[in-house]
Amino acid sequence: MEKQRIAATIVATFFLICAAGSAQAQSITVLPVSIQMLPGQQATTLTIINQGSVENAVQIRAFTWTQVNGEEQLTASDDVLASPPLATIAPGATQVVRVVLRNPAAGKEATYRILLDQIPPAAAPGTVRIALRLSIPVFAPPPVRVAPHLAFRVEKSASGQSYLVADNTGTAHEMLRDMQLTTTGDGAKLNVRSGPSPYLLAGTTRRWAIASDSLPATGNSLHLTAHGVDHDIVEDVPIVVERP
């Protein structure tokens, strides 16, 4: 099973879409795609490789990353710095970006995101240049042991819409992938609209809509399976009335 801590490579392709319909591709490689620091670590690096045939200019910015009411929020902050903030990378060249936390995490895992934006040159007449943005998560644990702690439930609303709800009362993030919800009686699969982000940060709650209007009654349960950061999740989830 793929694990969060494994350094990976992402190839991002920038396209020049010409009026005649032809396309030329310029690509860069950024690694890792997710930064997991060691407990108490305050500095790390990000590597950008220009694999294209022309130079690429990029802007690198760091943000504090939170989740509020299930929504991702990025906030400009001096708590984390990315250096250099701007870089022009020649064909075949590599740029190393240093990521530094000004203050160590305390009590629970600190979370940030690095935004890498291409700065495209001026487009020639009849040409459209598409700039790519990459968003790279950074997880920084404090110098004490931290772990996620999830509690699931299914909430039924008066309007008929139901949600799978997860509370992470722990001190570290969890990553939920391949979530499957089935009825405990006949094993019928229910469609859970998982959304674009698999992360559930420490101290947050997320809700995923269930595309079904025929759930069992309140007081029963549904069966949940999912892949976490380093383990499988298998449990029965109670069905409750939505909180007011």
Side-chain angles (χ1 to χ4, degrees):
M1 182 177 64
E2 180 186 14
K3 293 185 178 181
Q4 174 78 16
R5 296 177 184 268
I6 296 176
T9 299
I10 184 168
V11 178
T13 303
F14 305 130
F15 290 100
L16 299 177
I17 302 178
C18 305
S22 62
Q24 295 177 323
Q26 310 165 52
S27 63
I28 64 171
T29 297
V30 180
L31 67 154
V33 294
S34 176
I35 297 174
Q36 176 67 61
M37 291 185 170
L38 297 175
Q41 181 183 356
Q42 289 185 247
T44 188
T45 59
L46 185 70
T47 302
I48 308 169
I49 306 168
N50 184 358
Q51 295 181 320
S53 58
V54 299
E55 70 178 20
N56 268 297
V58 293
Q59 179 182 35
I60 306 102
R61 295 175 293 163
F63 295 84
T64 298
W65 171 31
T66 58
Q67 291 174 334
V68 179
N69 297 324
E71 298 294 329
E72 308 277 326
Q73 292 193 359
L74 300 182
T75 305
S77 172
D78 292 334
D79 290 345
V80 58
L81 303 175
S83 179
L86 296 169
T88 299
I89 310 171
T94 296
Q95 175 67 56
V96 176
V97 177
R98 185 168 171 81
V99 179
V100 178
L101 308 186
R102 299 185 67 181
N103 299 298
K108 69 174 184 178
E109 177 183 68
T111 50
Y112 308 95
R113 277 191 178 268
I114 304 297
L115 294 190
L116 188 148
D117 292 289
Q118 183 203 20
I119 304 174
T127 300
V128 177
R129 295 184 185 270
I130 300 177
L132 187 72
R133 165 174 290 181
L134 297 179
S135 180
I136 299 166
V138 180
F139 302 101
V144 296
R145 186 181 182 278
V146 294
H149 184 269
L150 269 59
F152 293 93
R153 64 184 180 275
V154 171
E155 292 184 349
K156 297 183 72 173
S157 67
S159 65
Q161 177 62 65
S162 298
Y163 298 90
L164 173 64
V165 183
D167 297 315
N168 183 0
T169 58
T171 50
H173 77 282
E174 183 61 275
M175 182 171 63
L176 298 172
R177 296 170 293 129
D178 303 324
M179 289 192 298
Q180 289 193 357
L181 205 56
T182 58
T183 57
T184 54
D186 55 10
K189 291 184 179 180
L190 304 174
N191 183 17
V192 180
R193 297 169 182 161
S194 58
S197 173
Y199 297 109
L200 179 59
L201 302 185
T204 63
T205 297
R206 286 194 63 182
R207 295 157 57 92
W208 299 271
I210 301 172
S212 175
D213 55 3
S214 59
L215 264 67
T218 300
N220 291 289
S221 62
L222 297 174
H223 188 66
L224 172 68
T225 60
H227 296 311
V229 170
D230 55 8
H231 66 287
D232 290 335
I233 297 170
V234 180
E235 61 180 86
D236 290 333
V237 179
I239 302 173
V240 301
V241 176
E242 185 177 28
R243 294 177 179 178

